[in-house]
Amino acid sequence: MIGLLIVSHSGQAAAGIREIAMEMGGDEETIAAVGGDPDGGIGTSIDEIQAALSDLLEATDGVVVLVDLGSAVMNAETAIEMVEADTDAEIEIADAPIVEGALNAAASATSPKATVESVRESAEEARDISKL
């Protein structure tokens, strides 16, 4: 099973996106969300991302990370490097819109044949979804 980690600058946004994604598939063990800085403000935390990745890898075979803005990417990349030192599991960041990508990824991750690559690709397919 492939896990999803949603990283947003807002903890409330991350939790909301997680809630919506869980309607498409997955559960509390396979979809996690982190957001906000350690003081409860807007931002992201490398330590919180790292902890969430480690928790997800206890229940999954790999993780796809969805991020909202620039520094979330940088902090997720740093956290991934730290976690990868202790695991052989695959972890990738999807270059996708966070809400639509999370929905696609959650649906894709429910397939018994899902891989980190296939789930990341499903998330990235959301870039082409027109809203009008």
Side-chain angles (χ1 to χ4, degrees), residues 37-103:
D37 68 18
D39 298 324
I42 298 297
T44 57
S45 163
I46 293 170
D47 292 339
E48 289 183 18
I49 297 168
Q50 180 185 8
L53 285 170
S54 295
D55 288 347
L56 281 169
L57 288 172
E58 290 182 14
T60 65
D61 301 319
V63 176
V64 173
V65 181
L66 293 113
V67 295
D68 62 356
L69 300 169
S71 64
V73 175
M74 184 175 54
N75 285 345
E77 289 173 338
T78 301
I80 289 169
E81 288 175 11
M82 296 166 74
V83 170
E84 284 181 331
D86 298 326
T87 183
D88 293 330
E90 192 173 358
I91 307 168
E92 293 187 14
I93 298 174
D95 184 11
I98 191 167
V99 176
E100 294 87 345
L103 298 179

